[in-house]
Amino acid sequence: MNASRASRPDVDNASVPDIAPPLISWFRQEARDLPWRRPGFPAWGTLVSEIMLQQTQVARVVPRLEAWLTRWPTPADLAASPPADAVRAWDRLGYPRRALALHAAATVIANEHGNVVPRDVDALLALPGIGDYTARAVAVFAYGDRHPVVDVNVRRVLKRALLGQGEPGPAKAKDDLPLMESVLPADRDDAAATNAAVMELGALVCVSRSPACDACPIADRCAWRAAGYPDHDGPRAPKQAKFAGSDRQVRGLVMAELRASDVPVARSEIELVWPDAEQRDRALASLLRDGLAVGDDTTGYQLPDA
């Protein structure tokens, strides 16, 4: 067994087969043709895509990513534009704080890294708004370095295949990263392919509901399948509240008003977007607190311009 797979938490390592080879073979045949997987795709594009893909469907990200990179092909290009432009270009991808974080990261990359996205995970983590997952994903998928990369799809696949658990449960980096590390081949290219393959399997085959086990390349090695698909009796990952009627929806409605206007929006106009005054005021206050809106009742409200 590969020495790089020497430790696997909560698993008898000797009894668990190597899942990397069949996953790599499957991925090289079945992987979706996505912009960030094409040869020559820039590290800046990988960083942008990873931030856009957070809690957002691939189909919604691809056209927005292509438009973004056409307009801002390098970090310096984005940094030279006001933050309001980034928020407007983000449009309806959701969680627009990501646009501000990306603008802030671009500014640091342009000013402190010679307009080149850093390769080192620690340097990536030092960028504004970049968390552990994004830093590792950029290092692996843009630069080919060997690190475990874990998202919810990866956790689901690993918990099912290796631990026999039907659901991924809450994220725990101290457990999740070593578990992914344990299945990575020593070869850097194979390790990057394994990271991508596990993600793809979780996105397309080993889905949360009704997994397509007949199409799974590691079905014969899956502990959950071998155990007869037992119900999950452990802790569960927290579920996101419904969007309809939520503060998130009201924030989005207020943001839409601000994006649509090149001049400050009066309080009276904002009051028209939602009937519940308390919820509307709470949404506006949160946008001001997050830096996604600036202004007051006297001057009106607008997107940040500096």
Side-chain angles (χ1 to χ4, degrees):
M1 184 170 287
N2 192 311
S4 68
R5 303 172 58 244
S7 176
R8 183 176 286 153
D10 301 325
V11 178
D12 178 359
N13 207 50
S15 68
V16 178
D18 187 357
I19 64 173
L23 281 173
I24 294 171
S25 296
W26 171 82
F27 180 73
R28 288 174 176 163
Q29 293 180 4
E30 304 295 337
R32 291 169 291 179
D33 178 21
L34 299 172
W36 47 90
R37 292 176 177 165
R38 295 169 189 163
F41 194 73
W44 166 239
T46 300
L47 176 60
V48 174
S49 71
E50 289 296 343
I51 293 177
M52 286 186 171
L53 285 164
Q54 294 168 11
Q55 297 181 299
T56 306
Q57 297 171 332
V58 168
R60 295 178 58 205
V61 166
V62 171
R64 187 61 54 203
L65 172 69
E66 292 174 344
W68 187 284
L69 294 179
T70 297
R71 182 173 182 180
W72 296 303
T74 73
D77 294 315
L78 177 58
S81 295
D85 286 355
V87 174
R88 284 195 175 92
W90 202 257
D91 196 22
R92 297 178 181 235
L93 283 179
Y95 302 96
R97 279 177 292 182
R98 293 181 293 167
L100 288 182
L102 188 51
H103 186 278
T107 301
V108 173
I109 294 168
N111 293 337
E112 299 181 15
H113 295 279
N115 206 30
V116 176
V117 174
R119 178 173 188 162
D120 179 72
V121 169
D122 288 339
L124 286 160
L125 284 169
L127 297 175
I130 303 301
D132 187 70
Y133 166 79
T134 302
R136 290 172 176 274
V138 171
V140 171
F141 300 132
Y143 292 114
D145 290 345
R146 188 186 179 282
H147 302 284
V149 182
V150 178
D151 67 0
V152 67
N153 288 321
V154 170
R155 288 194 292 114
R156 185 188 313 111
V157 170
L158 296 182
K159 292 298 179 68
R160 286 176 175 173
L162 304 184
L163 304 184
Q165 300 173 5
E167 295 187 18
K172 292 183 179 179
K174 67 182 182 63
D175 295 330
D176 299 335
L177 291 174
L179 193 62
M180 186 64 206
E181 168 68 30
S182 73
V183 305
L184 292 182
D187 179 80
R188 288 198 329 169
D189 290 343
D190 285 348
T194 301
N195 273 305
V198 176
M199 284 187 186
E200 190 80 338
L201 191 75
L204 301 181
V205 176
C206 193
V207 294
S208 180
R209 298 181 180 180
S210 302
C213 297
D214 290 345
C216 179
I218 58 170
D220 62 339
R221 311 179 186 205
C222 177
W224 186 50
R225 183 171 184 261
Y229 306 107
D231 292 335
H232 184 72
D233 60 1
R236 299 176 184 271
K239 291 186 177 181
Q240 189 177 66
K242 291 183 178 179
F243 179 75
S246 67
D247 284 4
R248 285 177 51 226
Q249 182 184 17
V250 183
R251 277 170 57 101
L253 293 171
V254 175
M255 283 295 297
E257 283 293 312
L258 302 184
R259 279 197 305 264
S261 179
D262 293 326
V263 298
V265 177
R267 178 63 176 249
S268 59
E269 295 176 84
I270 292 177
E271 289 175 351
L272 298 176
V273 306
W274 193 254
D276 186 326
E278 181 179 351
Q279 191 175 24
R280 186 182 61 237
D281 289 348
R282 188 165 64 243
L284 177 59
S286 71
L287 292 173
L288 292 167
R289 185 171 59 251
D290 290 342
L292 288 165
V294 296
D296 53 41
D297 287 353
T298 301
T299 63
Y301 298 91
Q302 61 186 347
L303 299 177
D305 58 5

